[in-house]
Structure formats: C-alpha cells, structure tokens
Amino acid sequence: KQWYQRRVRGANKIYFRNLCWERATLQVYTDASLANLDGRKSGSGFVVYLSDGKERNLVAYSCSRVKRVVKSVFGAELYAVSEGLTYCVMLKIFLGDMFGRLPPITVFTDSSQVV
C-alpha cells in the first residue's frame, strides 16, 4: 500500500491512500438527533469518503445544529441527508472538472423512514 503524507500548519500528519480513480465513488454517511442539544435543539452531521471499493479517504465532515425547526426525528434525519447530499453534489462537480469523470454518490443513513 502506498501512503501519501502532507503537513498541515498547526496539525499533525494527514495520510491519504492511493485510490483507483476508475472505480472511485463518493460515500456520504448521515445521522441526526432530535432535541439532544441545549435548548432542545436538534443536531445533524455527515461524513464524506472517496472510496474505490478497497480503500477510502475521508474527504469532509460536518456536525452542526439543525438550522430549521423540526418536530420529528424524520425531519432531522431528512435535513441531515439533504445537507450531506448537497455537499456531495458540489464535490462531485468539482472532481468531475478536475479529473474528467463524475464519480457516483452513495448515501447511507440509519433511518428506515428516509429510505
């Protein structure tokens, strides 16, 4: 396995795995919680990986308070999927412009209602 290393100012080391671009896909994992933060606010988050089926690299992550009023777990989960998918589409277009191939997107969530 070949590892790539880059120094980031103020941080330790970041390692990137060498991926086969022909098989590369974007994978987004999302989750949300209803009224788990102070003031009964809901939280949501997503993690985006670039994967080729064997190896994967963390590309982005986000964890934040839901910026809308949601009255159910379904609403919070749907908001998290929407935020993660929006970021992935932007990243897909960026990668397509750089490498000439648009990688497919796969969304994973733990909510059976959203699927």
Side-chain angles (χ1 to χ4, degrees):
K1 294 181 182 180
Q2 190 174 19
W3 293 80
Y4 291 99
Q5 178 178 344
R6 189 180 87 190
R7 293 207 181 266
V8 177
R9 185 175 298 178
N12 290 333
K13 299 175 184 176
I14 298 176
Y15 296 96
F16 295 97
R17 292 189 166 110
N18 192 11
L19 300 177
C20 175
W21 181 247
E22 299 303 318
R23 296 189 315 257
T25 62
L26 286 168
Q27 298 175 341
V28 58
Y29 296 84
T30 65
D31 195 17
S33 297
L34 181 67
N36 67 328
L37 302 175
D38 292 338
R40 303 215 14 104
K41 302 289 183 181
S42 300
S44 71
F46 64 87
V47 179
V48 179
Y49 289 100
L50 186 60
S51 173
D52 67 354
K54 294 181 182 178
E55 304 286 343
R56 66 182 185 177
N57 291 316
L58 177 66
V59 177
Y61 67 93
S62 173
C63 181
S64 62
R65 183 173 57 98
V66 173
K67 298 177 182 89
R68 306 278 188 269
V69 174
V70 292
K71 297 183 178 182
S72 66
V73 176
F74 173 72
E77 292 279 355
L78 196 58
Y79 182 79
V81 169
S82 172
E83 288 289 308
L85 196 54
T86 300
Y87 189 89
C88 262
V89 168
M90 176 201 64
L91 190 60
K92 177 180 179 171
I93 293 169
F94 175 73
L95 291 172
D97 287 344
M98 282 182 55
F99 298 109
R101 178 183 171 272
L102 296 173
I105 298 172
T106 307
V107 179
F108 298 93
T109 183
D110 62 347
S111 175
S112 61
Q113 296 174 339
V114 174
V115 179

